[in-house]
Amino acid sequence: NGTSGIETQSFVDAVYANTILDDLGVTRVSTTTDQRIPILGAVSTQWETEVSDAIDGGSAMSKKDLAPKRLASYVDFSKQAAMQHNESIESALRNSIAQAVGAKVEYALFTDDSGNGAYNYLGQGKTPVTNANITSLMMALVEEVQSNNHNRGNLGFAISNDLFSDVYTAAQVSGVNPLIINEAIMGVKAMFSNQIADIASKPVVYYGDFSKVQIAQFGALELLVDPYTQAIKGTNRLILNSYWDAALVQDAAISVGNFG
């Protein structure tokens, strides 16, 4: 009849940022209930005279709460594609949604997306360290975290992709060694992400102990196939609802820097 058949090849999915969160060593929490993280106050310790009152060094306890925030995703696919293909279409669609969700979770952690209902990002309320020399900026971030007594644990640099060339062409010691060696700065892992937005129109770096970043996923993922909403177009809709929250449980454990 003059028409050609179609042999469908393997799917090529959309390209999403590979999340760097697990590489940095964030703390993952899988739960069905709200989470309350108690934070001990500083232990008041000071030399006193024989009968004077002990000084209050800030001994009050505080807390961080994690409660579910809905992250919704969907993708449409044609009924014809479903008929012409085998079960790999479902696997491809699931994988694509999973990548999109991972990218959004990471974006909200490094970029202020609270206006859209996301959790507070890591730079919330912080005054960025600023330096126009990339090596000096990295050293200043390490020094600030060290001064806060948090330079231990799952240490890492989370760096905006905008700074990739600056980092890889910088010297730690002029004429001796580069700033970054084997994807590490001073032996600490350095990860790049395009999910890190500028602050005050300047590229951003985060440094510190990422084990103090807790990311909670609440309950199982809800995955629904809707054959009705888009039926007039001959398409099905795959819908995913997931519930997340994140918090930096010790604010001084992560510092943020601006380059420029």
Side-chain angles (χ1 to χ4, degrees), residues 21-62:
L21 300 179
D22 289 325
D23 292 320
L24 290 169
V26 299
T27 300
R28 296 276 190 176
V29 179
S30 181
T31 181
T32 58
T33 58
D34 289 6
Q35 298 291 297
R36 173 156 294 174
I37 305 160
I39 302 171
L40 289 173
V43 178
S44 298
T45 307
Q46 186 56 275
W47 302 108
E48 303 290 352
T49 62
E50 183 177 357
V51 294
S52 61
D53 293 340
I55 192 171
D56 181 5
S59 58
M61 292 183 65
S62 59

Side-chain angles (χ1 to χ4, degrees), residues 19-256:
T19 178
I20 63 174
L21 300 179
D22 289 325
D23 292 320
L24 290 169
V26 299
T27 300
R28 296 276 190 176
V29 179
S30 181
T31 181
T32 58
T33 58
D34 289 6
Q35 298 291 297
R36 173 156 294 174
I37 305 160
I39 302 171
L40 289 173
V43 178
S44 298
T45 307
Q46 186 56 275
W47 302 108
E48 303 290 352
T49 62
E50 183 177 357
V51 294
S52 61
D53 293 340
I55 192 171
D56 181 5
S59 58
M61 292 183 65
S62 59
K63 64 180 177 64
K64 291 287 180 77
D65 290 330
L66 296 173
K69 295 174 175 58
R70 177 171 169 252
L71 182 60
S73 311
Y74 75 87
V75 61
D76 294 336
F77 61 98
S78 73
K79 297 178 184 293
Q80 181 175 332
M83 287 187 298
Q84 288 185 320
H85 216 276
N86 55 28
E87 68 279 359
S88 66
I89 187 173
E90 181 180 351
S91 176
L93 291 169
R94 285 174 180 261
N95 182 62
S96 185
I97 288 178
Q99 290 185 71
V101 168
K104 193 65 174 178
V105 168
E106 180 176 310
Y107 177 83
L109 196 66
F110 292 120
T111 303
D112 188 2
D113 204 22
S114 57
N116 293 317
Y119 35 79
N120 288 337
Y121 79 120
L122 294 181
Q124 185 74 31
K126 295 182 181 294
T127 301
V129 175
T130 302
N131 203 298
N133 180 285
I134 192 67
T135 300
S136 298
L137 176 62
M138 299 301 187
M139 301 303 169
L141 287 171
V142 174
E143 184 175 350
E144 183 171 82
V145 172
Q146 176 71 40
S147 298
N148 293 335
N149 202 31
H150 281 290
N151 204 40
R152 57 186 183 272
N154 293 343
L155 295 174
F157 291 90
I159 308 169
S160 167
N161 269 357
D162 292 342
L163 294 176
F164 184 87
S165 61
D166 296 279
V167 170
Y168 270 91
T169 56
Q172 186 179 131
V173 180
S174 181
V176 179
N177 59 277
L179 175 63
I180 188 168
I181 303 173
N182 296 328
E183 299 182 348
I185 296 174
M186 295 184 296
V188 175
K189 69 188 72 173
M191 309 298 298
F192 293 86
S193 173
N194 61 8
Q195 302 299 306
I196 303 175
D198 293 354
I199 296 177
S201 301
K202 296 179 179 179
V204 174
V205 180
Y206 292 90
Y207 171 77
D209 177 10
F210 281 87
S211 68
K212 298 302 190 296
V213 179
Q214 294 206 11
I215 300 177
Q217 180 190 336
F218 296 85
L221 298 177
E222 178 189 78
L223 192 62
L224 302 174
V225 177
D226 175 8
Y228 306 112
T229 302
Q230 302 293 315
I232 194 172
K233 298 179 181 179
T235 60
N236 293 326
R237 177 164 289 182
L238 193 64
I239 306 165
L240 181 138
N241 287 307
S242 56
Y243 299 87
W244 303 83
D245 200 2
L248 176 57
V249 297
Q250 288 184 310
D251 289 334
I254 301 285
S255 288
V256 57

